[in-house]
Amino acid sequence: MAYNKSKTLESALKFLQQGKLAQAISEYQQVLKYEPKDQSTLMTLGDLFVRQGDTQRASDCFERLANVFLHDGFNSKAIAIYKKIAKLAPAETSPLERLAELYVQQGVLSEARPLYLQLAEIYLKGNRGQQAVESLRKLLEVEPDNHRVQLRLAELYQAMGQKKEAALVRVSFARRLLDRGELDEAQKLVENALAADPGNAEVILLKAQIFSAGGQAEAAIALLEGHSDSANGGEMTTVFLDLLLKSGKMARAVSLTHTVLERGPQHHRHAHKAAAALLEAGQAEEALKLLGQIRDLLIESGEQEQLGKTLLSAVEKMPGRLEPLEWLVDLYRKTSDSFRLPDAMRQLADAYASAGDAQGAERLYEDLLERNPDNEDLLQCLNRVRTQTGREPVFGPPALEEETSEAAPASAEPLPEPALDEETQRYVSQALTDVDLFSSYGLTQKAIQLLETVLQRAPRHTATLERLLDLYLGAGDERRTAEIAARLEHLHAERGDTANAERFGELQRRFQRAAGISADAAAAAQPPAAISAPPAEFVVTPAEASIADVAPAQAPPVEGQPHSAAPASGDVPEIHSTAGAAALEVDLTDDWAALAEEVQEPIETPKTASPAEAEVASAEITAAETVSDEESEEFELELVPTKATSEKEELSAMSQDQFLNELAAEVEDLERMPAEAEAPAPQSSTSAAPAAGTSAKDGESLDQLREVFQDFRTELEEIGEEEDLETHYNLGIAYREMGLLDEAIGEFQKVANGVQGGRPFRYAMQCSTLLGLTFMAKNEPKIAAVWYQRALETPGLDQESVLALRYDLGVAQELAGDGAAALESFRLVYAMNIDYRDVAERIAALQKN
């Protein structure tokens, strides 16, 4: 039979009216079979299990409901449900733990603290001292600045015999005091920690830091010197090295870095720090020795930028020394830094020339001319050093110099490079911009992989090929450099550009020899025909109609590139590159997502509501918007079928409020259950013997722990705290919406007490009014009248609010049986507005009595 929710709910309701709880439960379980997250059904089923006395199954239903609320982001409603679970199963700790966590998430520490204390007490009663201390540790995490909590927790660890943990708690708080500059208090805590655990390295380190902050550097050095952790490369080494450098003890600092480096190359940062300090102190030679040992390690660990700054400082402080310049050029080559490499090469070439190393200078000038063939100044410098070595001057870039004295015949004007279509040109330009960015940050492999991807779309684009050639050259990939140079040679030869073809041909032959590749092997690996005539699907011409036609291979999207410029879908061809094999995957996915605009229906105030109720409803909406949407959605319990019911059914049908009020009464009954139904009574900390399986020593430890805990609890109860009134107010609204009136009253009263104590709160009048309305819902009109009167005492009320509150006060007084007071309230309303609601009729009725 097909599932019909309305009929199933109707059948369940009929069973309820007949008092057949088991059959009703079966029907509701049928609903959950098809709709396991139905909130109303979960709430109702939990209520019915409570009526049956099956608290375990009731708790399961409520926990499922709480998880639904949490999944939907309704934390306040989840808190309300967990409070119900905690009342149903007072001996269970998991609901209390979850409730404490949720209060912490809501920022209501005043509610979380007693829960953690309650958990600790439960664990202590069960002789589970370690779990008790763990609960208090969680309390410590949410109150890291609470001095008394910190110290008491340390005492608890001490009572448990956990000296290391006690020391760590003290150290943690001492560190916070040190950060705030409270050195004397931090010193006291550290001394206490050392007394508990004398060999604790972290405590000793903190003591040295306190000495240093207090200007006692020598005392700090003496404390750390000789300690086994001072040269292990950890935090103590860092602090010790800083102290030595700041104190000018450079020789001891250098000795320390050598000792640390012997433990492993991963500790190179200490040596780098020492080298930089030596440069600043004018000891450049010592600094250079250290840099020579660690510069490769710094490059491999990705610290190229820091190394570059140090080398530039060394170049400045050591004019005429070649090593810093050589290392700088080597750094820029390895990181493919095409922006700073030419300047460094020029400086080194000039330095070689000045030092009389003509061959070194010639090699660098030739390399620079290959990169910038029109630079006349470089050409003059090259000819000058060639003359010094007895060689003939050149009349153009060295790559174009003929091996023989015969000049090459003049060639015709070379053909221009074929133009790319507009979209491809836009794609290539964006990609080259990204390549420049990658190169500036030393991300060579990412830049190479992106250029290889560009070549899949524009395989004959010379600018891309030249950039790729530079990167492979800087990365030291001689084989791939030769391949790209050969490709450029053939492209320029096709266009009749003889000069560039010869230049790249010479470059190809040079790196082919360097890579150890024979001419025959190079020809077999890359035939000229394959380069000069790439596959048709890679050729880009303006005549192609779409990107899908031009580039069937899918290239990874480039960050910042419009989606429309991405290549068509397909498989990415494999890039045969020795450098690319170990490269990191380039992920430049465009993360832009379309934003959907949510439109929420406006919440209307019922026409029959009084102005005070309307103002309260408005306040509820405003307050709910400041926290989350969860308070703006009313929880409804649908039990009544959609079709009209008979008068008898209407009388017997139970509303959501009725269900929840009855549940609250049953929960109160549960709290008054006989003692034998509760958890076993805890043993006395003074007279009872230890539990079975517990040694006398453990029992003594637990007794001591209980004593410390009681002191701890007493102190915490004395701690005053300014609670977040708005959070309590919003929680009260959430509870009231769910029909949990007692919980709502508790939250509203916390707000009212704060206001009464002088704390400002923008919804003070609304809070008192909500208390009045909630007590009226609990059929407590006399108490409601007290809160309506309190609301009237709020300063600055407008006339409409005063009228509404006086009228509601009169209604409450009348229901409470105080006719004289009610008549007086209604007369005050009548005096202000004779036509206000039914005030005239109410006065007349009271005067007759």
Side-chain angles (χ1 to χ4, degrees), residues 460-473:
R460 302 170 64 83
H461 192 253
T462 54
T464 300
L465 285 165
E466 288 175 0
R467 288 302 310 277
L468 194 57
L469 178 69
D470 286 344
L471 290 173
Y472 278 127
L473 183 64

Side-chain angles (χ1 to χ4, degrees), residues 632-653:
S632 66
E633 294 186 17
E634 186 168 347
F635 179 79
E636 296 183 359
L637 183 60
E638 296 182 3
L639 290 177
V640 183
T642 54
K643 64 180 182 179
T645 59
S646 65
E647 181 179 354
K648 182 179 179 182
E649 290 174 335
E650 290 177 354
L651 290 173
S652 60

Side-chain angles (χ1 to χ4, degrees), residues 16 48 148 205 218 230 249 288 293 297 320 374 387 389 449 489 498 512 532 551 553 577 582 596 637 720 748 808 822:
L16 283 177
L48 295 178
R148 296 166 73 177
L205 173 61
E218 290 296 334
S230 64
K249 304 180 187 300
L288 212 59
Q293 296 177 33
L297 297 173
D374 298 326
T387 302
T389 58
Q449 198 165 3
E489 177 191 10
T498 308
Q512 180 180 306
S532 59
S577 166
L637 183 60
F748 290 139
D808 292 340

Side-chain angles (χ1 to χ4, degrees), residues 150-406:
Q150 294 264 353
L151 294 183
R152 280 302 184 184
L153 182 62
E155 291 178 15
L156 286 169
Y157 275 127
Q158 195 77 28
M160 289 289 295
Q162 299 178 12
K163 296 181 179 181
K164 184 175 182 180
E165 287 77 4
L168 290 177
V169 171
R170 291 189 175 99
V171 166
S172 175
F173 194 67
R175 198 176 296 280
R176 300 179 77 86
L177 293 174
L178 173 61
D179 293 339
R180 296 203 296 256
E182 301 177 27
L183 302 184
D184 291 339
E185 291 299 320
Q187 179 78 27
K188 292 176 184 177
L189 282 174
V190 165
E191 295 298 342
N192 288 337
L194 281 175
D197 190 5
N200 192 302
E202 188 174 357
V203 183
I204 293 171
L205 173 61
L206 182 57
K207 185 176 181 180
Q209 290 174 311
I210 294 172
F211 279 149
S212 177
Q216 304 177 58
E218 290 296 334
I221 291 173
L223 185 63
L224 297 180
E225 193 147 28
H227 194 281
S228 58
D229 288 351
S230 64
N232 67 357
E235 185 181 6
M236 185 177 287
T237 302
T238 301
V239 173
F240 188 32
L241 179 63
D242 288 341
L243 286 167
L244 292 174
L245 293 174
K246 289 177 183 177
S247 302
K249 304 180 187 300
M250 297 299 179
R252 291 169 69 182
V254 171
S255 176
L256 174 63
T257 59
H258 284 306
T259 303
V260 174
L261 275 175
E262 290 174 1
R263 290 179 173 266
Q266 69 273 16
H267 302 306
H268 56 269
R269 292 184 180 86
H270 298 95
H272 187 205
K273 180 187 290 187
L278 287 168
L279 281 173
E280 291 298 320
Q283 300 182 33
E285 290 295 337
E286 286 294 329
L288 212 59
K289 291 178 183 177
L290 273 179
L291 286 174
Q293 296 177 33
I294 62 170
R295 63 188 184 93
D296 289 335
L297 297 173
L298 288 167
I299 295 173
E300 291 171 6
S301 62
E303 299 178 48
Q304 303 96 331
E305 196 68 28
Q306 296 90 323
L307 174 61
K309 291 178 181 179
T310 307
L311 289 175
L312 285 171
S313 176
V315 168
E316 180 183 344
K317 295 179 181 298
M318 305 177 73
R321 286 296 296 268
L322 296 176
E323 290 95 329
L325 280 170
E326 289 173 337
W327 295 347
L328 199 59
V329 169
D330 180 63
L331 169 66
Y332 293 152
R333 284 188 187 277
K334 288 180 177 178
T335 58
S336 301
D337 192 338
S338 57
F339 295 98
R340 288 178 282 195
L341 178 60
D343 289 339
M345 289 172 63
R346 178 61 188 267
Q347 280 186 274
L348 180 57
D350 292 344
Y352 278 148
S354 299
D357 186 353
Q359 290 184 347
E362 181 181 356
R363 185 175 64 254
L364 284 172
Y365 285 137
E366 286 178 349
D367 197 348
L368 286 167
L369 271 172
E370 286 180 2
R371 297 168 181 269
N372 191 1
D374 298 326
N375 192 314
E376 292 294 332
D377 181 50
L378 287 173
L379 184 61
Q380 292 177 9
C381 291
L382 174 61
N383 285 330
R384 188 161 47 247
V385 296
R386 286 175 69 94
T387 302
Q388 292 174 3
T389 58
R391 300 180 64 189
E392 293 293 328
V394 297
F395 302 98
L400 301 182
E401 185 180 4
E402 294 292 332
E403 296 294 334
T404 64
S405 58
E406 296 180 3

Side-chain angles (χ1 to χ4, degrees), residues 135-154:
S135 294
L136 297 174
R137 185 190 62 76
K138 292 179 180 178
L139 175 60
L140 173 67
E141 290 177 355
V142 300
E143 296 192 275
D145 292 317
N146 193 319
H147 191 179
R148 296 166 73 177
V149 173
Q150 294 264 353
L151 294 183
R152 280 302 184 184
L153 182 62

